[in-house]
Amino acid sequence: MNTAAQLFFDAASLGGIYAMAALGIALIFGVMNLVNFAHGQYIAFCVFALIVPSTDAVAVMFLGRAPAFLLIPLLLAVGAAAAVASEYAVFRHLRKATPVAMMISSFALGFVIQNALLATYGGRPKAISLWPELNTPVTVMGASVPLLQLIVILATLTVVAGLALLLKKTRIGLEMRAAAENFTMARLLGVRANVVITGAFALSGALAAAVALIMATQTGVADVRMGGQIMLVAFIATVIGGLGSLPGAVAAGFLIGAVSVLLQAYLPLDARPFRDAFLYTLVIVSLLVRPQGLFVPSSAKPRV
Amino acid sequence: MSRLGVFDVSVRYGKVPALTDVTLHIGEGERIFISGPNGAGKSSLLKAISGAVPTAHGRIELDGDLLTGRPPEAVARLGLSMVPEGREIFGRLTVEENLRVGTGIRRDADAVEGDIAEIYRAFPILAERRHASAGALSGGQQQMLAIGRALMTNPKLMMVDEPSLGLAPKIVDQVYDTLVALQEERGLTLLIVEQSSVRAGRVGGRMILLRGGQVVGEGDAAAFADKDALTEAYFGKTGKEAAE
Ligand SMILES: Nc1ncnc2c1ncn2[C@@H]1O[C@H](COP(=O)(O)OP(=O)(O)OP(=O)(O)O)[C@@H](O)[C@H]1O
Ligand SMILES: [Mg+2]
């Protein structure tokens, strides 16, 4: 078996998930300086939207029963709607609040969503079966990889390219980039704050839904806690990438994915359970060396 | 009816007053200079008019439409455009993208390309750098871009805050020549903050003098340039900070 290829597919697919989650966070941070810690709960919310609300131990598929060509756009819309609704209910009232106050509210929102899920679905993880055939291995370049990994990599590339096109080629994209750089100036030029912020939340929620689909397929579990871990990694990716920088978030997501796969593969056996400790040590080192983020080009700074 | 009417407007930052009961009127097609020492409240006046800071008191109207209480994006839709102090161009966007940000509010979408061509004719250097990131432009080029960007909203009234700040005198000449030419072509109404009364006098127009957040004088800019009223405003009894 080809180990290098195997590692590559592992790294790229894990990194792809991190990159998509990190993009969801960076998009919102870009336009309103909010680190939205409820992002992980958007992911969990989308996973549970796949099954019928009930506290029974056995999950009955709900949205998850729809064929893929319907399910994918439907769940992306659910994610977008959830994120937009939370902006409307919570963050809209905090536009003039300090970034710290907004961040704390996002924690609170996350707890509210998580507890609502607990109340509706119960606390025990449930087995779900979404597209199980995607976990069958296929052989590529001498490596045996689950079909899902290839799909994740393709999906990430599609999402990143689509987002880049949207930001570069559309009116709302131009307005979002302008607002991310200087919100007041964009508004002085007629850019509507509400439109840009709603747009950012919708995209962010759709990205959460994409991550939810992948995680549900990959793990075969619906668990109210499942967004938390990935949110942490994604947040770290946005910081390492340079807060608010979208290319930075993608690059850092892939980097973290690659480093954790490499650590998992090459750490001595005894040290492997502590992989995350090594990973976070590297994170700290990277922040000490480049506090502004690894991928922030110095040419981005306007000349005075 | 005047184009812009400012009635008894006050602005406060917390408890600190920046403008107190300012009243002024600008007619259609007029060119007005606002002058006064540092901290006089010139920028605060422009920000209050554009909706970037809230007014504590008073009323502002553009062609009879009430601006007070509206967010900046709504004020922009009513025909007001701003070239802010320090230019505030979008450094990560290209030159042309900067020009296009403000075109979303225009009802005459088919005139946009023609207007961009016109900006490029007025500022050929911008055409040359159209695909370069705006952050890489020099200060003078950024000022031209900020003016072009404000014009692209097709405003009735354009406000320019200290266009000469940090620019070489030759560039300042060029910026003012273009501003005056554009105004004449388009019948634009112009409100310009300019600390140098000599400069304002040379360009010509009406001058309003602010100090300590209040209007302390008004008249022809050329006459003001050598009047002692200005000297007094700068170096008067309590005006020491301005001399530093
Ligand atoms: N964001 C702010 N918060 C608190 N005080 C402010 C703020 N902006 C301006 N001020 C204060 O309000 C007063 C008026 O400031 P403003 O910027 O309007 O003056 P200005 O005439 O434009 O000065 P300059 O010539 O330096 O640009 C000053 O005392 C200033 O310190
Ligand atoms: Mg000022």
Side-chain angles (χ1 to χ4, degrees), chain B residues 13-14 16-19 36-45 47 53 85 161-162 193 195 210:
Chain B
Y13 298 105
V16 187
L19 279 186
N38 292 114
K42 308 178 295 290
S43 298
S44 300
L45 173 63
K47 287 179 189 165
V53 301
E85 194 173 8
D161 197 347
E162 303 213 33
V193 173
Q195 288 234 22
L210 275 185

Side-chain angles (χ1 to χ4, degrees), chain A residues 204-222:
Chain A
S204 173
L207 284 164
V211 172
L213 277 173
I214 294 165
M215 288 184 76
T217 314
Q218 212 163 39
T219 62
V221 179

Side-chain angles (χ1 to χ4, degrees), chain A residues 1-18 136-157 214 218 253-254 256-262 265-266:
Chain A
M1 190 168 81
N2 187 334
T3 332
Q6 189 86 53
L7 284 178
F8 169 79
F9 285 115
D10 284 349
S13 60
L14 185 63
I17 300 176
Y18 290 160
T136 46
V138 292
T139 307
V140 198
M141 298 195 292
S144 156
V145 294
L147 189 53
L148 181 65
Q149 274 197 356
L150 299 181
I151 292 180
V152 169
I153 295 168
L154 266 181
T156 311
L157 295 178
I214 294 165
Q218 212 163 39
F254 276 111
I256 294 182
V259 171
S260 29
V261 167
L262 288 176
Y266 292 114

Side-chain angles (χ1 to χ4, degrees), chain A residues 167-168 171 174-175 177-194 244 299-304, chain B residues 50 52 71-73 76-77 82 84 88-94 97 100-105 135-138 142 149 153:
Chain A
L167 288 172
K168 194 74 193 165
R171 174 89 225 152
L174 175 63
E175 294 189 348
R177 283 185 296 137
E181 203 173 325
N182 187 334
F183 210 107
T184 305
M185 190 61 232
R187 296 181 73 183
L188 286 168
L189 292 164
V191 171
R192 284 198 179 99
N194 285 342
S299 65
K301 302 236 166 58
R303 186 140 57 96
V304 185
Chain B
S50 66
E73 56 260 48
R77 280 178 172 69
M82 167 112 134
E88 313 264 343
I89 57 129
F90 303 108
R92 294 201 292 259
L93 270 51
T94 67
E97 284 171 343
R100 288 185 190 277
V101 172
T103 58
I105 62 175
L137 297 181
S138 73
Q142 290 191 357
R149 181 183 63 178
T153 65

